Amino acid sequence: MAKPTLLLIDGNSLAFRAFYALINQVDRFLSHEGLHTNALVGFNNLLDGIVDPFQPDLALVAWDAGKTTFRTEKFDDYKGHRDTTPSELVEQFEPLRQMVELHGIKNYQLPGFEADDIIGTIATKGAAAGYAVTIVTGDRDMTQLVSDDITVWVTKKGISEVDHYTPAMVAEVYDGLTPKQIIDIKGLQGDTSDNYPGVAGIGPKTAVKLMKEYHSIPEMYERIDEMKTSKQKEKLIAGKEDAFLSRELATIEVDAPLEISLDDLNYQGIRYEELVPFYQHLDFKAQLVKLANMGYVIGEAGSTDAGETSVNMTNTELNVRELTVTNLSAIEELGAEIDFYLELDGENYHTAAPVAFVIGNEAHGYFASRDIELLTQRTPVNQILNDDQVKKNVFNAKAMIVALHRLGITLKNVNFDLLLASYLLDTNDNQNDLGALAHENNFFAVKTDEEVYGKGAKFQIPEMDADLFEHLGRKAFAIGSLAQPLFEKLNEHAQLELYETIELPLSFVLADMEITGIKVDAERLLQMRSKLTERLSELEQRIYQQAGHEFNIQSPKQLGVILFEEMGLTPLKKTKTGFSTSVEVLEQMTDVPIVESILMYRQLAKIQSTYIEGLLRVIHGSDSKVHTRYLQTLTQTGRLSSVDPNLQNIPVRVEEGRRIRQAFIPREPDWIIIGADYSQIELRVLAHITGDPEMQAAFRDDQDIHAATARRIFGLADDTPVDAEMRRKAKAVNFGIVYGISDFGLARNIGVTRKEAKQIIETYLNEYAGVRKWTEEIIESARELGYVETIAHRRRYLPDIKAKNFNLRSFAERTAMNSPIQGSAADIIKIAMINMNKILQERGLKAKMLLQVHDELIFEAPASELAELEELIPSVMDSAMQLAVPLKVATHEGKTWYDAK
DNA sequence: TTCTTCACG
DNA sequence: ACGTACGTGAAGAAG
């Protein structure tokens, strides 16, 4: 019969290991109460990974009881050079003990002794009593306890993996020595972290060699006369006292006066019910998801934790039925508010196929079906979605609007969008998965798509109706359950107006723009492609000639070898993986012909692959248009982003690339493209929120802001002309201020020394004193509140604002300055878009808004509407929000996007 | 998947 | 002493 098992865990060493394994992110592991949890997370993983599968008969976690032990009495400098334990770890010790207890394991400590000694004593007793003993620790010195009955598991790098030390393993690692001899090795070599000396001049190699010959320190000194006279012998004689003392200090006590016996150590098993509130307290979402999946009831978080949403939820039965033609009428009884979700087989809702849908609410149950005809035909489902009296709760309203539009259905009266609300509450939670987002919001009765469908090649919608409908029902239930609590949070954040009057209406406007799409002249692109193909192959041949052989020009690695090894050029910059070959580097070596060729090749290859070929791939055959998707819940600042294709980074700065815009054309031959852009919107926002009188005056007088700034920072009179170079530098400084300036960044950008840059910034902040005051205040406020806000109360949390790491903290400080500016500009253009769409409809204009590129809007319109739109568009855009300075908008029009300049 | 490069505001 | 300008997406190479 197998021996009973005894598991002994070295609490202290593992807590330290866990803490330092995640020290870089120590400020990211914070509970809602501000408790650091990095060591707790690591320790929890360890308990789950080791104890749970182990299922020992007896178990104990041993802790140190304080600084004074029998070792400090023998050697008062023992562990003397240790830094004090960081407070971020100290505060975790008490919850660590609670966690151990909830895992069914006894904690124990004993004044005067270290955790090691408790473990040594119990291990010895356990082995004698016939137990198979396993010790888990982060301290390799504990391997001195290894025997046939005692195995020691020592954590490797991090804490997730362990080495198993048996007597054979010890012999292997210590070159044939026995576990007991580890004490003698430590006695000779000492230990810097525990701060005991060993014999001066004896290191690990010599120690092992000596012990192989003399076996132990006492035996060595008995036989010291056998040793030939040598420097080493002198050192050993001089260090005799240290050797014996160090050996004693290194020896783990195996007979400590414990007040407990083996009978007290029965392993109790995990107390799941009690772990739920414990994990909730610590915000261990992943663990809670696990418990919910095991069927444990998660709920009432809010009753004890102020500030946390209270969502009463269970993992018990959910009422989901299949919807069929025979029970369709049940839909009519759902009432005034329903939850709806349509599942697609891909993320691009312009093209993905509808798979199934669910509709219902908690009161009346949920109805799901794979039969999309139950939507498309004239059915109660269709009618409810279209009914502007029935409130709809959804996840990603824009996706639903577009997908339903493809099915001929108009979605009306969206009340709650889980995705949008979560994003506004905390832009860091910008997960696109409904389940994951629900978990973030403390709702655990739903799985993630990855759990149910798998990912990548394994993606598979369940074939069983019951499985699919259960998942969809839970998705709808999650949406419905989170509506109220998230509305409450939006209200607490003063974000209801942002949600109701900006973001939710914007979803409809964006859906409209995406559905409209923009026409692309594929013929034009094909012409460009063939011309480029020719030029590229000529360039390619020339580059091969200049290099002396063929290579992959598109490989930075191979190019680096050619330039910096074969041709012997001096590398100016390195990346993580090798030499940098970026434009800013290559532009400094254009006297070398091959570099010139490569820069040209790169430029053209980019146009060819990303823009010409990339665009051709996404033109819809049905209407010759591209239909981008604007991601409304991605950026940290409130801007939109654009994908499939990205229409916000079509070339404009360089003529060759700019011609791509010739392929973007209006949908009718006699129509035109109109572009309208805000002038200096971010600097105007800066002038507004900083309240700086000088900068505001410059904008009120409609001055050239960069020239005005140049006069100030270079000390010129008001009417002095500003040369191009000064204006360029002033412009860079203005940009720098918006980005959250640093002297280093400015210096690099305008090519002056760091000292000069510092001086320029200083002058700038003296001239624009309101800007200085604001930058100081916004950082201070971010520290106090943990977040910054835009004019429309869009919020960005900055957890790193208090980080000890300089880089993380500096980044957070720059972000604190930049986000309110970039984000407020985003607020403004979003309002303008909503107003614009509305007024185009009201006036019955045929013009359509097609694109948004952060500070500009692109329209298509019949030429006949041009005169009206040239008035209307700027007036709507510049009145979107009333600032302390005027907003200025310019328009341009032409036959193509290229010509609208 | 991660890195580098380069397109935009 | 640290080692940075802010916000994005796509393509191609290489692990």
Side-chain angles (χ1 to χ4, degrees):
Chain A
M1 212 180 80
K3 284 182 167 187
T5 53
L6 165 59
L7 179 65
L8 298 167
I9 295 171
D10 184 346
N12 270 74
S13 85
L14 292 172
F16 270 88
R17 281 287 174 120
F19 180 79
Y20 284 105
L22 292 167
I23 185 72
N24 290 331
Q25 287 138 52
V26 65
D27 289 316
R28 299 198 181 229
F29 286 86
L30 271 179
S31 77
H32 62 273
E33 287 177 348
L35 179 78
H36 290 86
T37 56
N38 61 331
L40 286 155
V41 168
F43 209 95
N44 190 72
N45 291 342
L46 191 99
L47 290 176
D48 280 357
I50 291 180
V51 183
D52 213 14
F54 200 102
Q55 292 294 317
D57 296 295
L58 307 180
L60 176 81
V61 176
W63 300 94
D64 292 355
K67 280 209 146 176
T68 340
T69 63
F70 69 93
R71 289 188 181 82
T72 41
E73 279 168 28
K74 285 179 181 152
F75 180 60
D76 53 15
D77 226 11
Y78 178 70
K79 293 197 175 176
H81 288 180
R82 286 251 171 123
D83 291 335
T84 45
T85 309
S87 66
E88 293 90 339
L89 174 56
V90 171
E91 69 191 29
Q92 297 183 61
F93 278 121
E94 193 44 45
L96 275 168
R97 284 166 205 252
Q98 289 170 21
M99 178 190 281
V100 166
E101 209 171 305
L102 294 174
H103 278 80
I105 307 170
K106 189 164 178 65
N107 287 296
Y108 187 67
Q109 60 187 333
L110 182 65
F113 293 85
E114 294 181 58
D116 303 14
D117 305 308
I118 298 169
I119 289 176
T121 305
I122 298 185
T124 311
K125 284 186 179 167
Y131 284 87
V133 182
T134 302
I135 297 169
V136 186
T137 178
D139 180 0
R140 210 171 72 162
D141 294 352
M142 291 207 64
T143 52
Q144 65 183 267
L145 296 170
V146 166
S147 71
D148 288 340
D149 304 316
I150 303 176
T151 307
V152 177
W153 294 3
V154 184
T155 55
K156 287 201 242 190
K157 187 168 75 170
I159 55 161
S160 47
E161 281 179 62
V162 289
D163 280 327
H164 294 199
Y165 281 83
T166 56
M169 174 82 169
V170 170
E172 196 181 306
V173 172
Y174 289 95
D175 204 11
L177 297 182
T178 65
K180 293 276 172 287
Q181 287 176 295
I182 289 165
I183 303 167
D184 299 284
I185 298 291
K186 299 291 292 186
L188 288 174
Q189 75 177 58
D191 186 314
T192 43
S193 76
D194 287 351
N195 196 40
Y196 54 81
V199 176
I202 304 291
K205 296 272 181 214
T206 320
V208 170
K209 202 184 80 192
L210 287 169
M211 285 307 104
K212 278 176 90 170
E213 188 171 352
Y214 298 100
H215 308 112
S216 74
I217 287 177
E219 187 183 336
M220 179 179 76
Y221 282 105
E222 273 169 30
R223 291 166 54 194
I224 194 115
D225 298 337
E226 297 170 18
M227 230 180 261
K228 288 192 300 213
T229 316
S230 69
K231 267 269 181 293
Q232 192 177 81
K233 185 175 177 182
E234 284 172 35
K235 283 181 195 160
L236 287 171
I237 292 168
K240 183 171 179 181
E241 205 174 312
D242 280 340
F244 278 93
L245 173 67
S246 297
R247 182 175 187 268
E248 214 177 323
L249 291 170
T251 306
I252 292 170
E253 177 67 54
V254 294
D255 198 17
L258 306 184
E259 301 131 328
I260 49 165
S261 69
L262 294 177
D263 301 337
D264 301 321
L265 306 185
N266 282 323
Y267 172 59
Q268 308 286 331
I270 300 177
R271 287 145 66 177
Y272 290 104
E273 280 88 357
E274 291 169 72
L275 268 180
V276 171
F278 182 75
Y279 285 155
Q280 279 179 318
H281 182 70
L282 298 178
D283 288 323
F284 280 14
K285 310 279 184 207
Q287 300 297 326
L288 287 167
V289 171
K290 232 160 79 180
L291 294 181
N293 286 339
M294 290 167 70
Y296 288 91
V297 177
I298 316 285
E300 305 298 334
S303 60
T304 50
D305 296 335
E308 273 296 281
T309 313
S310 169
V311 183
N312 188 23
M313 65 201 82
T314 70
N315 203 30
T316 52
E317 290 287 300
L318 182 73
N319 182 0
V320 192
R321 279 161 282 176
E322 178 169 10
L323 186 68
T324 63
V325 277
T326 53
N327 67 359
L328 259 177
S329 58
I331 299 300
E332 288 162 352
E333 312 301 320
L334 290 174
E337 183 169 341
I338 58 116
D339 313 321
F340 176 80
Y341 185 81
L342 172 65
E343 192 74 279
L344 302 173
D345 71 353
E347 65 172 344
N348 189 339
Y349 47 72
H350 291 297
T351 53
V355 171
F357 67 93
V358 57
I359 186 167
N361 51 39
E362 193 181 359
H364 298 87
Y366 291 94
F367 298 86
S369 174
R370 295 184 200 255
D371 184 358
I372 302 302
E373 289 200 350
L374 293 177
L375 279 176
T376 54
Q377 304 301 314
R378 280 206 151 276
T379 68
V381 185
N382 188 327
Q383 276 164 29
I384 283 187
L385 294 174
N386 190 248
D387 189 332
D388 59 13
Q389 298 304 306
V390 179
K391 290 181 177 177
K392 264 72 87 178
N393 301 325
V394 298
F395 177 84
N396 196 350
K398 180 159 66 69
M400 291 297 120
I401 297 163
V402 175
L404 288 171
H405 177 267
R406 287 168 57 207
L407 299 171
I409 300 160
T410 309
L411 179 64
K412 288 185 187 154
N413 195 359
V414 172
N415 171 59
F416 175 66
D417 180 343
L418 172 57
L419 179 65
L420 204 48
S422 302
Y423 168 72
L424 294 180
L425 287 168
D426 189 346
T427 52
N428 293 313
D429 297 351
N430 59 3
Q431 312 205 46
N432 266 315
D433 185 90
L434 191 157
L437 210 50
H439 301 161
E440 287 292 333
N441 287 293
N442 293 323
F443 181 97
F444 298 99
V446 61
K447 290 182 178 163
T448 64
D449 283 344
E450 199 178 313
E451 281 176 84
V452 181
Y453 302 152
K455 66 165 179 178
K458 286 184 195 147
F459 182 90
Q460 165 92 56
I461 304 278
E463 280 168 23
M464 294 282 292
D465 284 347
D467 295 342
L468 178 61
F469 296 163
E470 173 79 12
H471 183 50
L472 294 186
R474 287 184 180 280
K475 282 189 172 188
F477 180 42
I479 293 167
S481 305
L482 285 166
Q484 203 47 44
L486 293 205
F487 273 129
E488 276 167 28
K489 279 196 179 179
L490 285 170
N491 190 34
E492 283 166 29
H493 288 198
Q495 290 182 310
L496 273 180
E497 192 182 340
L498 171 64
Y499 173 81
E500 285 168 358
T501 69
I502 301 184
E503 294 297 338
L504 189 56
L506 184 70
S507 288
F508 285 81
V509 173
L510 291 172
D512 195 12
M513 292 164 68
E514 294 178 12
I515 290 167
T516 303
I518 182 165
K519 194 163 178 188
V520 175
D521 182 352
E523 282 304 318
R524 185 87 190 78
L525 290 177
L526 290 169
Q527 286 169 14
M528 291 179 181
R529 180 168 71 175
S530 60
K531 278 190 196 153
L532 271 183
T533 307
E534 227 173 275
R535 288 185 64 190
L536 279 167
S537 70
E538 281 168 23
L539 269 170
E540 188 182 294
Q541 290 312 314
R542 191 190 311 164
I543 291 167
Y544 292 158
Q545 236 169 30
Q546 287 162 331
H549 60 88
E550 295 191 2
F551 67 102
N552 186 344
I553 305 168
Q554 310 229 66
S555 159
K557 197 177 169 187
Q558 294 182 35
L559 181 60
V561 172
I562 305 267
L563 296 180
F564 306 118
E565 288 175 14
E566 296 178 15
M567 304 186 70
L569 297 173
T570 317
L572 300 174
K573 201 178 143 200
K574 277 200 283 189
T575 67
K576 276 182 226 169
T577 51
F579 307 122
S580 171
T581 65
S582 65
V583 180
E584 56 160 333
V585 171
L586 296 191
E587 269 178 350
Q588 294 173 61
M589 26 182 96
T590 43
D591 46 323
V592 185
I594 193 174
V595 172
E596 196 91 53
S597 312
I598 285 161
L599 283 170
M600 180 55 74
Y601 182 91
R602 282 239 182 107
Q603 196 182 93
L604 299 183
K606 175 84 175 180
I607 295 169
Q608 182 82 311
S609 66
T610 305
Y611 296 104
I612 295 182
E613 284 164 0
L615 225 37
L616 283 168
R617 270 199 294 274
V618 291
I619 298 174
H620 287 225
S622 52
D623 58 7
S624 304
K625 287 175 170 181
V626 289
H627 300 265
T628 187
R629 281 179 298 132
Y630 288 103
L631 305 186
Q632 198 184 347
T633 57
L634 181 137
T635 70
Q636 296 295 307
T637 54
R639 276 189 175 183
L640 301 174
S641 83
S642 158
V643 294
D644 297 335
N646 179 356
L647 295 180
Q648 292 181 318
N649 72 345
I650 302 299
V652 68
R653 293 170 191 166
V654 177
E655 176 60 23
E656 312 231 42
R658 188 173 194 151
R659 292 207 191 101
I660 294 290
R661 294 178 176 225
Q662 292 172 339
F664 289 86
I665 56 177
R667 72 167 187 266
E668 304 290 343
D670 55 344
W671 285 34
I672 49 169
I673 299 287
I674 306 173
D677 62 289
Y678 283 106
S679 160
Q680 310 291 358
I681 190 168
E682 291 192 343
L683 285 175
R684 286 170 199 263
V685 166
L686 180 74
H688 171 82
I689 47 183
T690 61
D692 186 278
E694 311 297 337
M695 196 178 283
Q696 290 190 355
F699 281 120
R700 285 205 196 97
D701 300 345
D702 200 20
Q703 290 180 38
D704 174 343
I705 188 66
H706 300 315
T709 300
R711 288 198 189 89
R712 289 184 171 275
I713 60 182
F714 298 117
L716 308 178
D718 277 3
D719 43 4
T720 323
V722 173
D723 71 46
E725 183 59 14
M726 283 185 182
R727 189 177 181 283
R728 186 185 71 82
K729 286 185 178 169
K731 187 176 173 181
V733 180
N734 277 327
F735 268 102
I737 294 292
V738 169
Y739 291 157
I741 200 145
S742 75
D743 50 9
F744 185 94
L746 181 65
R748 203 172 65 114
N749 213 283
I750 61 175
V752 298
T753 66
R754 200 166 153 177
K755 207 173 150 192
E756 286 167 311
K758 200 176 166 124
Q759 187 51 53
I760 292 174
I761 294 168
E762 193 54 31
T763 312
Y764 183 104
L765 294 176
N766 288 338
E767 290 292 325
Y768 296 115
V771 175
R772 183 197 293 277
K773 187 156 182 287
W774 179 80
T775 54
E776 288 165 1
E777 284 170 357
I778 193 73
I779 292 172
E780 181 53 33
S781 154
R783 273 193 210 115
E784 259 169 47
L785 303 172
Y787 62 86
V788 291
E789 281 188 324
T790 66
I791 298 172
H793 300 294
R794 187 184 303 286
R795 195 177 273 210
R796 180 174 186 178
Y797 286 93
L798 298 170
D800 291 337
I801 197 82
K802 292 179 176 173
K804 293 195 165 49
N805 179 309
F806 176 88
N807 277 325
L808 288 179
R809 191 177 63 249
S810 302
F811 183 52
E813 288 171 357
R814 292 197 295 273
T815 310
M817 299 185 251
N818 173 261
S819 289
I821 299 167
Q822 194 183 108
S824 295
D827 295 343
I828 292 170
I829 196 167
K830 282 178 169 179
I831 296 169
M833 291 167 76
I834 295 161
N835 296 345
M836 202 66 237
N837 223 39
K838 185 156 167 268
I839 206 159
L840 288 179
Q841 276 171 27
E842 282 170 359
R843 294 203 184 185
L845 290 162
K846 288 191 179 134
K848 294 292 282 183
M849 187 160 59
L850 303 181
L851 304 175
Q852 188 251 44
V853 193
H854 311 306
D855 65 353
E856 62 178 320
L857 297 174
I858 313 297
F859 301 83
E860 65 180 357
S864 59
E865 292 181 357
L866 175 60
E868 184 176 357
L869 292 168
E870 272 184 317
E871 281 281 314
L872 182 64
I873 296 170
S875 77
V876 170
M877 287 173 72
D878 68 29
S879 64
M881 196 186 276
Q882 205 59 48
L883 301 187
V885 295
L887 288 173
K888 191 177 168 185
V889 174
T891 60
H892 312 274
E893 73 289 327
K895 289 302 293 175
T896 72
W897 191 4
Y898 175 88
D899 301 297
K901 63 182 172 189

